[in-house]
């Protein structure tokens, strides 16, 4: 079957492919995740919806100020504002209280003085869970969320964490470039070689290549997508073929997605680009969509 691309926007979940349609029209969709049970999405930053394979969308619960979600071996986790985690249960959501007692929590912050938030989540095949707090680093749990350990200096200002099962690398898009851990967070190295600036907002792995989005800062007028071969220790190459020279705003967390050798990303101006060769070349996939919030292959 042809690969479909889901694009979450300010106005629904747009399905791109042979048959283009809009799911959850009129609703803001900010996070998408897949597992064997189907598709999960976060709607209007508070509702969790699920669609089984060949089934219909179902609203499963509501949680205020939700930022991200991911299905794990321990259940579906949702990260929220004020840096809390909750787990989907039969009767709604239950807090992951252990996360509220994580080491170093008192030092978490945001540059603008608001409350920190759980910005992104990832898992590894052994049941490990990685929670990226903005700004609070990356927390790791090896016991299904019963305990959490900090893994990176919070000043790295991580915007997305991703575990790549193929290479075994833990990757983080950060203020200081791409952070790479070969030992699941015990130690980190940072790579900015070839980037025009080190402020990174999104990261994903396509085949044998790491893609990152980089810019000059949170209010940039020069953002771009870069690629580097695994294990991501060499110089980045700017993705150019089929793309504008620069994007005027950041290509944000969750707006970059991959599946095998395929990759896609969405921009805040409603443009979506797609690659079938690990980011070497790109072509338009959509234009004029509402503001893109997230993308995912299904």
């Amino acid at each position: 079957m042809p690969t479909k691309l889901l694009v979450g926007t300010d106005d629904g979940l747009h399905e791109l492919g042979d048959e283009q349609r809009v799911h959850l029209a009129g609703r803001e969709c900010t996070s998408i995740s897949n597992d064997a049970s189907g598709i999960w999405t976060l709607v209007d930053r508070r509702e969790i919806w699920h669609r089984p394979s060949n089934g219909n969308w179902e609203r499963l619960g509501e949680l205020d100020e939700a930022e991200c979600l991911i299905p794990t071996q321990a259940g579906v986790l949702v990260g929220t504002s004020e840096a809390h985690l909750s787990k989907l249960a039969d009767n709604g959501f239950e807090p992951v209280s252990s996360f509220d007692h994580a080491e170093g929590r008192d030092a978490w912050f945001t540059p603008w003085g608001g409350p920190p938030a759980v910005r992104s989540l990832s898992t590894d095949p052994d049941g490990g869970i990685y929670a990226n707090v903005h700004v609070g680093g990356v927390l790791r749990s090896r016991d299904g969320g019963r305990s959490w350990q900090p893994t990176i200096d919070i000043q790295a200002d991580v915007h997305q964490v991703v575990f790549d099962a193929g290479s075994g690398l833990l990757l983080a898009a950060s203020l200081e470039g791409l952070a790479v851990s070969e030992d699941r967070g015990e130690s980190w190295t940072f790579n900015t070689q070839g980037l025009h600036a080190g402020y990174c907002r999104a990261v994903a792995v396509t085949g044998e290549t790491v893609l990152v989005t980089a810019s000059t800062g949170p209010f940039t007028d020069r953002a771009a997508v870069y690629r580097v071969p695994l294990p991501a220790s060499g110089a980045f190459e700017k993705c150019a073929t089929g793309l504008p020279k620069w994007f005027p705003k950041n290509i944000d967390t969750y707006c970059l997605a991959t599946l095998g050798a395929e990759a896609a990303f969405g921009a805040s101006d409603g443009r979506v680009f797609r690659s079938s060769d690990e980011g070497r070349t790109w072509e338009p996939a959509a234009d004029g969509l509402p503001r893109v919030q997230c993308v995912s292959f299904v």
Side-chain angles (χ1 to χ4, degrees):
M1 293 179 62
T3 303
K4 296 178 181 178
L5 182 64
L6 291 180
V7 181
T9 74
D10 284 353
D11 186 7
L13 192 60
H14 294 249
E15 181 179 321
L16 307 182
D18 290 343
E19 296 182 6
Q20 300 197 20
R21 53 180 173 166
V22 181
H23 307 270
L24 304 169
R27 311 293 299 276
E28 181 187 28
C29 298
T30 54
S31 181
I32 311 168
S33 193
N34 308 323
D35 67 359
S37 74
I39 303 168
W40 304 83
T41 189
L42 181 60
V43 175
D44 293 338
R45 301 187 184 273
R46 65 177 186 274
E47 297 178 7
I48 284 69
W49 288 68
H50 179 248
R51 190 183 75 172
S53 302
N54 301 319
N56 297 318
W57 287 101
E58 178 184 8
R59 179 183 178 279
L60 297 182
E62 183 171 328
L63 198 62
D64 288 340
E65 297 182 308
E67 298 282 339
C68 57
L69 83 166
I70 192 170
T72 75
Q73 295 179 20
V76 176
L77 296 180
V78 179
T80 71
S81 179
E82 301 192 12
H84 297 304
L85 275 179
S86 292
K87 183 168 70 172
L88 183 63
D90 292 338
N91 58 347
F93 288 93
E94 54 187 34
V96 180
S97 58
S98 58
F99 197 74
D100 295 335
H101 302 286
E103 179 184 346
R105 184 181 182 91
D106 290 345
W108 300 351
F109 71 101
T110 58
W112 57 90
V118 178
R119 186 182 180 104
S120 69
L121 294 161
S122 190
T123 62
D124 66 39
D126 298 323
I129 305 169
Y130 305 90
N132 155 218
V133 175
H134 186 250
V135 177
V138 175
L139 285 294
R140 177 189 63 205
S141 176
R142 290 172 165 167
D143 53 13
R146 290 186 292 275
S147 64
W148 299 86
Q149 301 81 41
T151 71
I152 196 171
D153 189 329
I154 67 173
Q155 299 298 331
D157 191 3
V158 173
H159 300 113
Q160 185 172 12
V161 64
V162 169
F163 184 86
D164 176 51
S167 64
L169 295 178
L170 185 62
L171 306 167
S174 83
L175 173 71
E176 300 176 7
L178 177 66
V180 181
S181 176
E182 298 179 350
D183 49 20
R184 304 194 180 193
E186 292 295 328
S187 60
W188 295 86
T189 59
F190 292 83
N191 186 1
T192 59
Q193 300 175 72
L195 300 179
H196 74 286
Y199 183 85
C200 295
R201 290 282 275 261
V203 58
V205 177
T206 172
E208 298 298 318
T209 302
V210 179
L211 299 177
V212 299
T213 67
S215 80
T216 53
F219 306 107
T220 189
D221 60 359
R222 284 189 301 144
V225 181
Y226 289 82
R227 60 191 305 273
V228 64
L230 285 167
S233 56
F236 286 94
E237 172 192 1
K238 187 170 179 283
C239 297
T241 304
L243 297 179
K245 184 175 181 180
W246 301 110
F247 288 87
K249 294 184 179 180
N250 278 296
I251 300 160
D252 215 347
T253 308
Y254 288 122
C255 289
L256 173 67
T258 57
L259 179 65
E262 293 194 82
F265 69 90
S268 60
D269 61 7
R271 288 180 291 175
V272 179
F273 294 87
R274 189 166 180 169
S275 171
S276 59
D277 56 7
E278 300 186 12
R280 293 180 182 87
T281 62
W282 299 81
E283 59 183 16
D287 192 5
L289 295 180
R291 181 179 57 152
V292 175
Q293 299 271 17
C294 54
V295 296
S296 179
F297 286 99
V298 295

